Amino acid sequence: MTIKNVFGLVEEVKKELENLSLEELERELNDRDDLLLLDIREIQEYVDLGTIPSAIHAPRGMLEFWADPASPYYRDYFQEDKRVVLFCAGGGRSAFAAKALKEMGYADVAHLEAGFNGWAESGRDVEDTTDKARWMRKPRD
């Protein structure tokens, strides 16, 4: 058996998803009040780099458990009638995560194709998350 290239798999998954541009996400953030914006990056990424304003940190490893109302880990900000938009650093993990939420039954799911890195590199606002986490920020050289 040959291992499939993960980046090829990401491209396949994206064909089944709504892939938002930076402009589309910005428009939704301004126009919608039913948007659940999820930052699925690892905690250290979240602490070191900040996040998109109004995003909730939901690490990829816990996403399905937090999104399942029958799970003891369920977080009540997951609601079936909300628009859910996910992002990671570059759009790969969030594509897999968006697919998983759709498979769970969430109907209105998308992901930010450019990811957090694209958001930050475009000069858009980034929220400092240092005070939101119990983890320490790594010193920068």
Side-chain angles (χ1 to χ4, degrees):
M1 180 170 114
T2 303
I3 301 296
K4 291 184 178 182
N5 179 286
V6 70
F7 298 105
L9 290 173
V10 167
E11 291 307 313
E12 285 179 33
V13 167
K14 284 182 179 182
K15 291 175 185 174
E16 304 169 23
L17 298 175
E18 185 178 355
N19 303 285
L20 295 180
S21 69
L22 296 169
E23 295 76 22
E24 289 169 325
L25 175 58
E26 198 165 47
R27 195 172 317 115
E28 288 197 26
L29 287 169
N30 290 327
D31 296 347
R32 296 186 74 138
D33 59 1
D34 66 338
L35 182 70
L36 175 60
L37 181 62
L38 297 175
D39 182 343
I40 66 160
R41 295 173 302 150
E42 299 293 327
I43 186 69
Q44 203 62 50
E45 293 172 283
Y46 174 79
V47 173
D48 284 348
L49 303 173
T51 194
I52 297 173
S54 79
I56 294 175
H57 185 239
R60 177 66 188 101
M62 291 301 295
L63 183 67
E64 291 88 344
F65 297 97
W66 287 9
D68 179 359
S71 166
Y73 302 104
Y74 175 69
R75 304 295 170 107
D76 64 2
Y77 44 78
F78 282 93
Q79 300 292 321
E80 285 183 59
D81 60 342
K82 282 193 177 181
R83 164 74 159 167
V84 181
V85 177
L86 304 103
F87 68 91
C88 62
R93 290 174 285 179
S94 60
F96 287 123
K99 180 181 179 193
L101 287 183
K102 286 180 71 170
E103 288 173 349
M104 289 179 72
Y106 286 87
D108 196 2
V109 179
H111 85 110
L112 179 60
E113 191 163 19
F116 175 80
N117 293 343
W119 179 272
E121 289 167 6
S122 74
R124 288 174 168 83
D125 287 341
V126 172
E127 180 182 344
D128 184 348
T129 55
T130 307
D131 294 336
K132 288 186 171 186
R134 289 181 264 166
W135 293 85
M136 290 179 48
R137 176 175 275 169
K138 294 187 302 188
R140 297 194 188 264
D141 297 328

